[in-house]
Amino acid sequence: MTTAENPEIGATADANGIKTNYLEAGTGDPAVLIHGSGPGVTSYANWRLVPPALAENFRVVAPDMVGFGFSERPANIEYGIQTWADQVVGLMDTLELPKAHLVGNSFGGAIALRIAAQHPDRVGKLVLMGSMGVPFPITKGLERVWGYEPSFENMRKGLDVFAYSRDLVNDELAEVRYRASIQPGFQESFAAMFPAPRQRWVEAMCTPEDEIRQLPHRTLIVHGREDQVIPAQTSLRLMELIDNADLRVFSHCGHWSMIERTKDFNRNVSEFFSG
């Protein structure tokens, strides 16, 4: 399969020993986009509306995290936040990026937080969107997402919790995402990441609060007010913990700020990185 046939496939680079598929666009200060953890997700599916805007002023790099998309799935991999954080840092090393802005969505926000805590000098500014990273009681929405079993009906129910607007969640999108979720290896790796009971994986994605308090980075926190997957209270807590953080809450918006409020999200992030 070539990139011309599938826009989800970009270049491949070694990232801490993992052959990593990543998309790249633009020039300038680098910004690494870290996707969320939905079934069948790829970096392209998550971020496709963002790079065209950010690439006007920045070098955008958007990898498929190991276990997702078209990155390698090593047989004995131990999925976990440290593995994913080390993958991102490894990709930055391979691409010779000594420092980059990080944009993390949901589970990707937790990864970005871990990188910022462990490698503060490698991170410029930080954007956390509907982010995990602090404890919360698992929501019915996240339970449904992580407990996905492949079927069109289950994908349709899963997508229902992501978006505020029913217009965004139609049968065509559900069919595309369902087909993505049953590509060879996709569901096997996804099912291995967050087996029940799933509350423990919420905690496993956390960075200790005393480490978050020490973060020096300018941080933009974005959350949809109607998010059913990650409660908005997590972003309020992150704002309390990070001294140099601003919070934007979008109304009539669920877990997909970059899709439901694309223009607002892209404008806020571009201005934040440029300021």
Side-chain angles (χ1 to χ4, degrees):
M1 189 176 293
T2 67
T3 54
E5 294 168 339
N6 189 345
E8 295 177 302
I9 300 177
T12 301
D14 180 278
N16 196 39
I18 298 166
K19 293 178 182 177
T20 297
N21 175 64
Y22 70 97
L23 309 178
E24 186 170 11
T27 58
D29 290 341
V32 178
L33 313 185
I34 309 174
H35 62 72
S37 62
V41 76
T42 65
S43 187
Y44 176 82
N46 198 141
W47 295 118
R48 63 190 181 278
L49 302 178
V50 176
L54 290 187
E56 293 178 6
N57 297 298
F58 303 96
R59 179 184 177 186
V60 179
V61 176
D64 284 348
M65 304 312 298
V66 62
F68 294 93
F70 296 91
S71 289
E72 180 185 23
R73 289 172 165 78
N76 298 318
I77 192 79
E78 289 189 16
Y79 294 116
I81 189 170
Q82 195 62 55
T83 297
W84 290 308
D86 291 344
Q87 181 189 8
V88 173
V89 174
L91 181 62
M92 291 173 61
D93 290 343
T94 298
L95 298 182
E96 299 181 346
L97 306 178
K99 178 179 280 192
H101 303 312
L102 298 183
V103 184
N105 169 29
S106 193
F107 136 110
I111 296 167
L113 276 171
R114 179 62 61 91
I115 295 167
Q118 293 183 335
H119 307 277
D121 58 327
R122 303 294 301 271
V123 178
K125 293 180 179 179
L126 192 60
V127 177
L128 306 172
M129 190 194 81
S131 182
M132 302 182 72
V134 292
F136 62 92
I138 192 168
T139 61
K140 292 181 179 178
L142 183 56
E143 186 76 48
R144 183 182 295 180
V145 170
W146 278 356
Y148 170 78
E149 293 290 342
S151 74
F152 170 81
E153 292 76 16
N154 286 342
M155 181 59 76
R156 189 71 170 76
K157 291 177 182 177
L159 292 178
D160 278 340
V161 305
F162 278 105
Y164 171 79
S165 171
R166 298 301 87 202
D167 294 338
L168 286 175
V169 182
N170 53 40
D171 287 349
E172 181 182 3
L173 175 61
E175 181 68 22
V176 169
R177 290 296 295 267
Y178 164 62
R179 292 294 174 191
S181 76
I182 59 173
Q183 292 186 81
F186 275 44
Q187 179 60 19
E188 290 82 354
S189 56
F190 184 71
M193 291 177 195
F194 311 111
R198 296 187 176 88
Q199 180 65 45
R200 55 185 165 152
W201 307 120
V202 173
E203 269 88 48
M205 295 299 295
C206 292
T207 291
E209 290 192 350
D210 61 336
E211 294 182 20
I212 296 176
R213 282 194 184 93
Q214 295 174 27
L215 294 179
H217 311 89
R218 287 279 295 119
T219 303
L220 175 64
I221 303 170
V222 179
H223 216 112
R225 187 180 65 190
E226 285 80 21
D227 193 332
Q228 299 180 61
V229 180
I230 308 297
Q233 286 78 6
T234 62
S235 284
L236 291 170
R237 182 59 180 156
L238 287 168
M239 183 188 66
E240 292 171 351
L241 292 170
I242 302 173
D243 178 64
N244 214 355
D246 297 328
L247 173 64
R248 301 281 187 276
V249 178
F250 293 151
S251 62
H252 294 180
C253 183
H255 195 53
W256 279 347
S257 298
M258 71 294 197
I259 294 173
E260 298 184 81
R261 297 286 296 270
T262 303
K263 290 182 180 179
D264 293 323
F265 179 80
N266 288 343
R267 183 183 68 253
N268 274 271
V269 174
S270 296
E271 291 176 353
F272 175 65
F273 285 164
S274 299

